[in-house]
Amino acid sequence: MTRLSVNVNKVAVLRNSRGGREPDVLEAARACLDAGAHGITVHPRPDRRHIVAEDLPGLAALAAAYHVELNIEGNPFAPPRPGYPGLLALCEQVRPAQVTLVPDADGQLTSDHGFAFDAEDRALAGQVAAFAALGCRVSLFVDAGVRHLERAAALGAHRIEIYTGPYAEAFAAGQAGSALQACADTARRARAAGLGVNAGHDLSQANLGAFLAAVPDVLEVSIGHALVGEALHAGLPATVRGYLDILGRAGMA
C-alpha cells in the first residue's frame, strides 16, 4: 500500500502568524501518527515562514518513538543565514530517513517545478552524495514528463517525487487525462531506471484515488495543504483516516 506522509508545514504557518507555540506542531504531528499516518514531512525554508530549525529535534524524536519516517524537504543550494544553517546542516543534526531535494528559490511561495537534469547535474550529484552519506534516502522533486529522468539514478538518487500540482489543477477542471498519463509515464520511466516513486503537491481526498489508479506502485504520497484544510472541518484524526482509507482501497485494486 502507498504510504502517507503528512506535511505539517501549514500548522507551523498558522503558529508563526501569531507567534508563540500554538497551534503546537508536535501535537499536530502526534495526532496524525496516532490516526495511522506512516510518516511526517516538513519543509524548513530560509525565511522561516514554515517549520523552523528549532522544530526538527522534537519531530525527529517523535518519528523515532513511533517508528515512522521523517522526510525533510528543501533546496540544497540555498546558502546558510541567521536562523537557517542550510539543509545539509539541518539533516546532520536530526538524520531524517528521507530528504527530498527541491529547486525552490528563496522567495518562492510554494514548490512549483522540479529539477531539469541539465547543467546542474554535477553540483546536484555532490549534494545527493552528501545527504546519502548521512544515511538518508534521497528523493529528487521532478516534473511529470521531465527529460533525462534516468540521470536521477546516475546522480545517486534513490527515488523521485513527481510534482502533482498540474495534475490536481487539471483534475479540478475535469481534464485530468493527459496530466495523469504524463505522471504514469514518468513513474514507469523512473521504475525502469531503478528509482522508487513518490508523489506530492495539491493531492487531496478528491483527486488521490484517481491518481493512484492511473499511477501504480507509488511508494509514498506527501500531503499537507489540502489535508490541513480538510482537517479544519473534520479534525486531523478523521481526515488522516480518510486518506488512509483511499490508500487502502487503491492497494486492493
Side-chain angles (χ1 to χ4, degrees):
M1 186 179 84
T2 304
R3 301 177 74 80
L4 171 65
S5 186
V6 177
N7 189 322
V8 294
N9 272 356
K10 285 300 185 293
V11 180
V13 170
L14 183 58
R15 176 199 63 190
N16 297 347
S17 70
R18 180 70 178 265
R21 297 179 56 86
E22 297 298 330
D24 189 306
V25 171
L26 200 61
E27 288 304 312
R30 183 178 287 109
C32 294
L33 296 177
D34 283 341
H38 305 111
I40 296 295
T41 290
V42 293
H43 188 151
R45 293 178 179 270
D47 63 10
R48 293 173 60 88
R49 71 180 186 268
H50 287 166
I51 289 293
V52 295
E54 298 90 317
D55 293 320
L56 295 180
L59 288 167
L62 182 69
Y66 278 75
H67 305 289
V68 300
E69 293 189 350
L70 176 64
N71 171 44
I72 299 182
E73 302 176 342
N75 183 351
F77 300 112
R81 65 209 70 180
Y84 180 78
L87 184 63
L88 183 61
L90 290 173
C91 291
E92 286 174 337
Q93 293 171 19
V94 299
R95 305 295 175 113
Q98 179 172 268
V99 59
T100 300
L101 306 185
V102 297
D104 284 359
D106 274 8
Q108 203 165 315
L109 181 62
T110 187
S111 304
D112 63 9
H113 67 284
F115 287 103
F117 304 118
D118 47 27
E120 65 197 354
D121 279 8
R122 182 173 298 179
L124 188 55
Q127 295 290 343
V128 170
F131 287 100
L134 298 179
C136 304
R137 179 197 309 126
V138 181
S139 179
L140 300 180
F141 197 62
V142 305
D143 296 318
V146 64
R147 298 175 60 196
H148 311 304
L149 175 63
E150 295 73 15
R151 291 183 185 172
L155 294 173
H158 306 99
R159 294 186 185 182
I160 60 161
E161 179 177 328
I162 299 173
Y163 168 47
T164 51
Y167 157 69
E169 185 176 351
F171 182 93
Q175 301 173 344
S178 60
L180 271 177
Q181 186 61 51
C183 290
D185 288 346
T186 302
R188 281 193 287 270
R189 290 167 54 209
R191 291 193 298 272
L195 295 161
V197 177
N198 297 341
H201 209 90
D202 291 336
L203 293 173
S204 68
Q205 291 187 73
N207 61 39
L208 179 59
F211 178 81
L212 294 175
V215 188
D217 302 322
V218 175
L219 297 173
E220 175 186 290
V221 289
S222 173
I223 303 177
H225 184 80
L227 188 152
V228 171
E230 292 160 350
L232 292 176
H233 305 284
L236 270 174
T239 302
V240 168
R241 287 193 291 268
Y243 278 95
L244 293 172
D245 183 56
I246 294 169
L247 296 175
R249 292 199 303 271
M252 293 185 293

